Each structure stands twice: as C-alpha cells, then as structure tokens.
Amino acid sequence: MSKLHAFTVHYIKRARNHRWRCSEITFWCIDEQLCNQWIQALKELLDSQKSRPKQLLVYINPYGGKRQGKRIYEQKVAPLFNLASISADVVITEHANHAKDNLFEVNIYKYDGIVCVGGDGMFSEVMHGLIGRIQKDSGIDQNNPKTPLAQCSIRIGIIPAGSTDCICYATVGIIDPETSALHIIVGDCQPLDVSSIHHNNTFLKYSVSLLGYGFYGDILKDSEKKRWMGPMRYDFSGFKTFLSHQYYEGTVSFQPAKGTVGSPRDKESCRTGCHICRQTKQLEEQQKNYGFEHKEVEDEWKVIKGKFLAINAVNMSCACPRSPKGLSPAAHLADGSADLILVRKCSRFNFLRYLVRHTNQDDQFDFPFVDVYRVKRFQFTSKHLEDNESDIKDVGKKRFGQFCSDHPACCCNLANSTWNCDGETLDSSAVEVRVRCQLVKLFARGIEIYKDEAAYNSSSNELLS
Ligand SMILES: Nc1ncnc2c1ncn2[C@@H]1O[C@H](COP(=O)(O)OP(=O)(O)OP(=O)(O)O)[C@@H](O)[C@H]1O
Ligand SMILES: CCCCCCCCCCCCC/C=C/[C@@H](O)[C@H](CO)NC(=O)CCCCC
Ligand SMILES: [Ca+2]
C-alpha cells in the first residue's frame, strides 16, 4: 500500500461457554505520523499494565491426559505468547516430580509466573514445588501443622492437557488451552485456598480440589494401574468401584468454619469477583491488624463416627466435564474453607442416585445419608487404625483385627481405603487437614457471569461483572 499506513491490534473476544478467542483488526490511515502516534499510545497502554507477565517458566507433561501436552503448547499457546511478547523458558518433563524438584533449583524469582501444561496431577506437582520452595526460602518447616505458611505471590497458569482438569474448569469455566493462555496473557489473578495434610506431625501433601476417601480413593487406586487407557481409566475404575460398594468405618472430627459468610447449601456459586471470597479476605486482614491471625481456636470440634461410602473434602466446586456443577456447587475458591461431604453407608441404588446428581441440576445434598459441612480444619482416623492404636495394650484383640481385615466375609469391616489427593494417593489413611486461605494465586479470574448465557453468541461481548 504505497500511500496507506496500517497497524494491527490483536484482541480478545468472548465466545460461547466462557471461551475466549484471539481476534485481530487492522486500522488504515493516510497520515503516517498519526498512525505512529496510535501505535505509540497503544504500546504505552500495554506497558502500563503491570499485572501482565513478561517472563514465564513452563513445564510440559508430555504424558498427561491424551499425551497431547507438547502439541497443545507448541500449536495453541506458544504463538499467542509470542504475539504478546512473553518470553518463556520451557521444560519438557522426563519423569514424575521433575517439575517439582526443578522448582527447588531454579531462580524462580526472575519469573512472573509458572505455567504447567497437563492435568490436575501436573498442577499439583508445580504447586508443591512452588509452595515448598517459598517455605524453604522463608525458613518455614512444613512438617509443623500449626505453622502459618508464607503466601506465594508468583502466579501459576494451567494449560489444560490432562484427564480431569477440574482445577482449570472450576477456575476458568471451560477446558480450552487457548482461553487459558489468554487469561495468562492479560495477567489475571485468582487466589486459591490450599489444604495442608499432615499425619503425626509429618507433612504429607497439599490439596486444592478433591481430597477423597472411600469411593474416589478406590477409583484412583484402581485407575493408576490403567494409566495406559488415558482419561477412560476413570470411567472403567469408576464402574468397578461402584459395583464393589465398599464402605469404611472411622471417625471424622471437624471445626465448622465460623468466619465465612456462605453455606454449602447456597444456591449461588462462586463467580468472578465473588463477594463471599472478598469478605473473607477483608475479615482476615482485620484479624491480622488485631494480631489474631496466628492464634488457633481450639473450641467447637464436632465428632462423627460411622460407616462411610465416601468422605470428600473439596476446596472448590470440583466442576469438570464429567460433573459440570461439581461435587459441591456452592464451594468457594478463596473463602478459607472447604466443604466436607460425608456419604454414609446406603444401598447401591441410593448411592447411584447420589452419583447421578453429580451430573444434573438436582440437589446432591438432599439425601438422608449425605451430610455436608463447611470447615476450616478436620481429622479422620479409620477404625482399623483406631483399633490398632488401642490394641497396643490388647494383643488378643489385635489378632482378631488382623483376622477380620484378612477375611472380607467376616461381619467386622476393618478395611482401609486410600485418600485421593487431587488425583494422587496419600501414604496414610489417618489425616489432619487445615485450609490455608488464599495460599496460592492462579492466572485466572473465576467463572464469569454472562448477562444472558442462553442468548450469548460471538457477536455479543457484554458481561455483568
Ligand atoms: N515425563 C513424565 N513421565 C511420567 N510422569 C510424569 C511426567 N511428567 C509429569 N508426570 C506425572 O504425571 C502425573 C499425571 O499427570 P497429569 O495430571 O498431567 O495427567 P492426568 O493424570 O492424565 O490428568 P488429571 O490429573 O487431570 O486426571 C502427575 O502426577 C505428574 O507428576
Ligand atoms: C451414573 C453416573 C455417575 C457419574 C458420576 C460422575 C462423577 C464425576 C465426579 C468427578 C469429580 C472430580 C473431582 C476431581 C478430582 C480430581 O482432583 C482428580 C485428579 O484429576 N480426578 C479424579 O480423581 C478422577 C475422578 C473420576 C471419577 C469418575
Ligand atoms: Ca474454599
């Protein structure tokens, strides 16, 4: 164009179902000086947005989900990062824990964010690396369950390429690598609660999505042997675990969340700019100002002994394509509490009715065998362990305990399940769990509310929030 001058603006367009797309528009102009003024003004505007990342550290799990992590990053994400002038150091992991170990070695402080390409397990690995590194650098011992932890200001980005991808779904609203890359580029920030899990003053793991004993623990244990099946392994093991209908005996004790405003039975869900999460943060700030924040309150423990098909503690809704509302639709991403769901022994048919409600609009807590509590701390000990502990003085009974667990036909059910901690197993069945309010931050903004979700199409960009 001999006499025309032009510049192209790349921008984000909202599409259906929380999807974001990159679009472009080219402006033409006959006045070269005016054209340059526009380019300069736009560049300055972009430079003034300090929350946008400039340098990222990216970990790709090439074996997560359908093994598409590397392709997804190269084809869908890297071109967008280039367009946004983001430089990325990329590590393709060679084994489990590669990313976690690496985060203890590199200079993490030169990065504006850490990105993981993979599923919930890969996110968990990166989160453990980052939290662990920050505690190490702050001289904090993770093994002491009472110690307040140092918050992580370096944000984590998730490019979904796993099997469940529930952390991405519950914080963005869709599993779509391009949408997630765009949330990273604009520098979104979503704080996230993290539960720390200890056993006998030993740190076990952190959890952000599901910490599940019984049904979800058994699915995970069985599915790990079938990793070769990809995401299908969960359906196969899910069906098998449902048929086995195993229940577990134990004691759950918990401290109900006092400082939070919402309840697990609320009709409203956590959305972008959630006022419940905001109020919690304000309350915490106030407590900090009064010097209360590190004082543990020892009152009001509720104790429930029983036979459970599932014990699920969720820090967020756990919405995912398999369960679009999640296991606790009104759970909050950053309110400093978890929803503790106790599913007591019931018939196979009733348990199926409960599971079906994970997938439809009906209230999954409206069953006499399901209880839900919003908690800040909880503990669980299986009957098997309780008996073993008291049997140290009673050798005869101990022999009987072993006899029962060795013989499933015996009427005493002393079987143990495993904890499913964000898709990884825990080594101990007895756990002590504390929710750490907003310990980490994601490149996300929670699920946006569309003014008119049904009528939404690519020509309308209006949002409520
Ligand atoms: N190169 C690698 N080889 C083997 N395992 C790896 C490698 N890189 C990471 N991992 C491990 O693979 C596990 C599973 O990965 P990921 O979460 O990405 O996929 P997934 O299990 O299919 O998905 P989801 O967790 O969403 O169900 C993680 O716990 C991670 O530690
Ligand atoms: C008859 C219809 C019954 C349908 C029941 C569907 C229930 C689906 C609920 C899914 C809840 C996912 C909670 C998230 C757990 C993740 O941290 C974890 C790691 O990715 N995934 C699983 O454990 C994988 C768990 C997969 C379970 C199938
Ligand atoms: Ca929460």
Side-chain angles (χ1 to χ4, degrees):
M1 294 295 190
S2 56
K3 285 195 184 123
L4 281 180
H5 302 276
F7 63 92
T8 299
V9 175
H10 297 265
Y11 67 100
I12 291 165
K13 208 169 174 176
R14 290 188 172 88
R16 272 181 193 279
N17 298 330
H18 308 284
R19 222 176 237 102
W20 283 9
R21 283 287 168 262
C22 185
S23 252
E24 60 176 68
I25 183 164
T26 300
F27 295 87
W28 303 91
C29 170
I30 27 169
D31 184 342
E32 185 179 6
Q33 209 190 342
L34 182 65
C35 185
N36 286 338
Q37 272 178 349
W38 269 96
I39 295 171
Q40 193 56 29
L42 288 169
K43 274 190 175 158
E44 280 170 15
L45 205 71
L46 282 174
D47 282 345
S48 71
Q49 299 190 3
K50 296 292 171 221
S51 58
R52 286 184 178 233
K54 290 187 172 59
Q55 205 169 359
L56 295 171
L57 175 58
V58 179
Y59 292 103
I60 304 176
N61 175 4
Y63 302 113
K66 293 181 187 151
R67 302 177 174 229
Q68 297 294 307
K70 200 163 166 281
R71 187 190 61 81
I72 288 172
Y73 182 76
E74 281 164 3
Q75 291 182 6
K76 299 192 173 178
V77 179
L80 289 173
F81 283 176
N82 285 338
L83 209 55
S85 307
I86 292 174
S87 70
D89 291 339
V90 179
V91 178
I92 298 171
T93 60
E94 286 162 13
H95 51 86
N97 289 325
H98 183 165
K100 185 179 151 208
D101 296 344
N102 192 248
L103 279 163
F104 280 85
E105 288 157 13
V106 294
N107 175 15
I108 53 169
Y109 303 104
K110 72 174 187 185
Y111 297 105
D112 304 307
I114 317 285
V115 172
C116 55
V117 185
D120 296 326
M122 194 56 195
F123 170 81
S124 171
E125 212 191 274
V126 165
M127 178 185 74
H128 278 83
L130 189 59
I131 299 178
R133 170 69 186 271
I134 302 278
Q135 308 319 307
K136 186 175 165 236
D137 292 356
S138 313
I140 292 170
D141 175 14
Q142 294 181 98
N143 284 318
N144 183 349
K146 291 184 180 170
T147 308
L149 297 173
Q151 298 214 322
C152 305
S153 56
I154 303 174
R155 284 164 290 175
I156 308 178
I158 308 172
I159 301 296
S163 301
T164 316
D165 297 314
C166 112
I167 302 157
C168 174
Y169 195 96
T171 54
V172 174
I174 183 129
I175 291 172
D176 178 60
E178 192 175 332
T179 304
S180 293
L182 293 169
H183 279 282
I184 296 172
I185 288 170
V186 299
D188 271 345
C189 183
Q190 171 65 55
L192 211 58
D193 296 335
V194 177
S195 288
S196 60
I197 306 153
H198 288 81
H199 172 69
N200 276 351
N201 284 326
T202 306
F203 167 71
L204 297 178
K205 267 197 170 96
Y206 295 112
S207 163
V208 287
S209 58
L210 167 70
L211 179 62
Y213 188 80
F215 185 66
Y216 287 106
D218 294 350
I219 292 183
L220 182 73
K221 200 169 175 194
D222 190 72
S223 68
E224 281 299 288
K225 295 173 250 163
K226 302 181 181 68
R227 273 211 164 262
W228 56 270
M229 286 173 89
M232 275 264 293
R233 69 189 186 277
Y234 288 135
D235 301 304
F236 184 85
S237 300
F239 186 60
K240 206 172 140 190
T241 307
F242 170 75
L243 289 182
S244 80
H245 198 64
Q246 180 72 56
Y247 69 87
Y248 300 95
E249 292 195 60
T251 306
V252 186
S253 350
F254 59 89
Q255 270 191 324
K258 267 183 174 171
T260 52
V261 194
S263 131
R265 305 297 296 271
D266 286 343
K267 292 281 165 276
E268 234 176 84
S269 321
C270 185
R271 290 290 179 263
T272 305
C274 174
H275 68 99
I276 289 181
C277 294
R278 207 174 32 232
Q279 270 170 280
T280 304
K281 193 68 199 159
Q282 282 166 356
L283 209 74
E284 211 193 52
E285 299 284 309
Q286 279 169 12
Q287 285 177 344
K288 218 181 246 176
N289 292 341
Y290 287 112
F292 289 157
E293 97 257 50
H294 301 329
K295 290 203 178 80
E296 287 213 330
V297 201
E298 274 307 326
D299 59 357
E300 251 211 88
W301 278 91
K302 218 172 140 71
V303 181
I304 299 180
K305 265 181 193 283
K307 298 173 178 172
F308 305 100
L309 284 171
I311 297 170
N312 298 326
V314 296
N315 268 357
M316 54 169 73
S317 69
C318 284
C320 59
R322 280 189 175 85
S323 171
K325 282 180 313 161
L327 299 189
S328 189
H332 287 269
L333 294 171
D335 68 342
S337 71
D339 287 352
L340 179 64
I341 307 158
L342 305 179
V343 186
R344 274 175 280 106
K345 190 183 163 199
C346 62
S347 68
R348 249 196 206 92
F349 177 67
N350 273 337
F351 190 56
L352 182 65
R353 285 173 63 213
Y354 167 69
L355 289 180
V356 168
R357 289 196 191 177
H358 284 7
T359 63
N360 63 26
Q361 290 304 311
D362 295 340
D363 182 358
Q364 49 192 297
F365 303 133
D366 187 18
F367 287 111
F369 54 90
V370 179
D371 292 314
V372 60
Y373 306 93
R374 191 152 281 180
V375 304
K376 282 204 183 295
R377 282 173 68 183
F378 78 93
Q379 293 175 352
F380 173 77
T381 318
S382 66
K383 179 129 191 321
H384 181 83
L385 268 186
E386 276 172 359
D387 286 358
N388 272 2
E389 268 166 28
S390 60
D391 289 348
I392 294 167
K393 300 171 212 120
D394 184 350
V395 182
K397 205 175 156 204
K398 187 172 183 178
R399 284 207 189 108
F400 177 66
Q402 280 166 355
F403 175 76
C404 289
S405 50
D406 290 342
H407 295 81
C410 174
C411 61
C412 294
N413 180 13
L414 294 179
N416 254 349
S417 176
T418 330
W419 283 97
N420 174 341
C421 174
D422 294 353
E424 311 286 310
T425 53
L426 288 187
D427 291 335
S428 168
S429 62
V431 292
E432 189 189 338
V433 181
R434 276 174 165 78
V435 185
R436 314 291 180 145
C437 185
Q438 307 192 2
L439 187 64
V440 295
K441 293 188 176 86
L442 295 190
F443 283 109
R445 58 171 64 174
I447 299 175
E448 290 184 309
I449 309 169
Y450 289 161
K451 211 178 203 172
D452 181 358
E453 202 127 341
Y456 200 85
N457 61 46
S458 52
S459 64
S460 152
N461 267 341
E462 238 182 324
L463 287 180
L464 249 191
S465 59

